[in-house]
Amino acid sequence: MDPESEIAVEFVPVIRQYKSGRVERLLPANPVPPSVDAATGVASKDVTVDPATGLWARLYLPACPAGSADDKLPIVVYLHGGCFVAGSAADAPDHAFLNRLCARARAIAVSVEYRLAPEHPVPACYDDGWSALRWAAEGADPWLRDRGDRERLFVVGYSTGGNVAHNVTLRAGSSDSLLPRGARVRGLALLHPYFLSAGAGNGETRQAWLRAKLEELWGFVCGGRTTGLDDPRVNPVADGAPSLRRLGCGRVLVCLAEEELRPRGKAYHDGLLASGWPEEDVELLDSVGEDHEFFLREPRSAKALALMDRLVAFLGGKQ
């Protein structure tokens, strides 16, 4: 057969790779340009973070109420989902979500366009997330320099972006000197994070075919360079994984939905407490009856609004 048409690996409905190496992304792309959002007044722009790798981000700045021009705002570094192989900082659902979040929380957001597998296998996404966090902490853009509070950094990730967010925040905790002086990650929020385990317990698998694809996906996005499903990067509570006490933040919010990744997200929450995190610094929101991306797809639903309320409170909570 023609290697251009013979399928080597397939993860429907996300991605297909042919034996020639050609990649076909199957999810419909719906990019939107940066703008001033008519509904919220939030302004956005695209900026280059690292010319050497092509890393860029979309920045969001909320409207400035009268008398608040000098207020310093928390900075949210956001990592989108997409199975490590799809998604973009320009995707319409994420763009709309960040417009709402920045307006409600009075925060600046840095939505990271990290490199995707298989062209750029893991850990490229972690390296890009880390570069973006450092870039934000340095106040490298005038919006961040003039309006951002580098002492109130937050890392927020959805789905596989939650996996990236965890690994970036763990790196931030590995040394006090890695972030610029004065910069501090106050919190980590994981929305339906992608974590797995080789020893999935009874009741963890809701859909066997989906679970098998999620597990196969991990090896694919790593280019085969992984120890498997108990690789600490995808199973942060595996034996021998770095202690979750080493996370470089002050508080953690874990949001779950009723879907295949829920048990591992709950195990992460429980692992935080078992590692010695104080209960008051670890929050859990379980959106029972909702699926993986409900808050992006149905942002005005009652539980999506509850998730937004919880995230806004988290960003503005204990300092």
Side-chain angles (χ1 to χ4, degrees):
M1 291 183 63
D2 181 359
E4 278 292 320
S5 59
E6 189 174 357
I7 297 171
V9 182
E10 187 175 54
F11 300 96
V12 176
V14 181
I15 193 170
R16 180 180 294 129
Q17 186 175 41
Y18 296 88
K19 289 195 172 179
S20 66
R22 180 170 66 91
V23 171
E24 181 182 4
R25 289 181 166 85
L26 306 176
L27 289 173
N30 185 20
V32 294
S35 63
V36 176
D37 184 58
T40 63
V42 173
S44 55
K45 65 179 179 179
D46 293 342
V47 295
T48 299
V49 174
D50 185 351
T53 61
L55 176 62
W56 63 271
R58 178 162 295 181
L59 268 60
Y60 295 79
L61 181 68
C64 182
S68 65
D70 295 328
D71 290 352
K72 293 291 188 176
L73 307 178
I75 300 170
V76 175
V77 176
Y78 176 78
L79 291 311
H80 65 78
C83 300
F84 298 105
V85 300
S88 170
D91 281 350
D94 298 89
H95 180 78
F97 172 72
L98 288 170
N99 278 327
R100 295 190 299 271
L101 177 63
C102 291
R104 286 282 315 277
R106 295 281 300 147
I108 298 173
V110 179
S111 183
V112 185
E113 183 74 357
Y114 57 83
R115 287 170 292 173
L116 301 176
E119 297 91 340
H120 305 283
V122 171
C125 54
Y126 302 152
D127 294 339
D128 288 350
W130 175 249
S131 294
L133 176 60
R134 279 193 53 86
W135 181 86
E138 290 166 354
D141 180 86
W143 285 5
L144 297 166
R145 182 190 65 230
D146 299 337
R147 299 300 310 281
D149 185 350
R150 299 186 309 121
E151 294 186 0
R152 287 190 291 161
L153 288 162
F154 292 84
V155 182
V156 178
Y158 160 61
S159 189
T160 45
N163 176 289
V164 177
H166 158 77
N167 282 284
V168 167
T169 308
L170 189 65
R171 188 183 301 191
S174 63
S175 172
D176 292 338
S177 63
L178 290 179
L179 289 176
R181 179 173 295 181
R184 182 177 176 186
V185 179
R186 294 285 183 169
L188 167 67
L190 305 181
L191 315 180
H192 314 162
Y194 173 93
F195 296 131
L196 298 171
S197 169
N202 292 335
E204 282 203 18
T205 301
R206 299 169 60 88
Q207 296 176 290
W209 68 269
L210 178 56
R211 175 76 187 200
K213 280 298 182 183
L214 290 171
E215 293 178 352
E216 186 184 356
L217 176 71
W218 173 247
F220 175 71
V221 300
C222 292
R225 293 183 291 275
T226 175
T227 57
L229 300 180
D230 284 335
D231 183 327
R233 298 175 298 178
V234 76
N235 183 4
V237 297
D239 290 342
S243 171
L244 294 179
R245 283 297 291 156
R246 291 175 55 186
L247 285 168
C249 62
R251 297 159 55 229
V252 183
L253 169 64
V254 180
C255 297
L256 308 178
E258 202 164 324
E259 40 100 24
E260 199 65 35
L261 296 174
R262 183 189 182 281
R264 288 292 97 199
K266 181 63 165 58
Y268 184 90
H269 167 267
D270 295 347
L272 289 166
L273 298 176
S275 72
W277 274 80
E279 289 188 12
E280 62 268 24
D281 293 333
V282 178
E283 301 182 29
L284 180 70
L285 176 64
D286 194 352
S287 301
V288 177
E290 299 293 346
D291 65 10
H292 186 62
E293 60 178 0
F294 77 93
F295 69 97
L296 294 177
R297 189 181 62 251
E298 300 174 348
R300 293 181 177 82
S301 68
K303 290 188 177 178
L305 293 173
L307 187 152
M308 177 63 76
D309 289 344
R310 190 67 168 270
L311 188 53
V312 168
F314 182 76
L315 297 179
K318 185 174 72 173
Q319 303 301 317

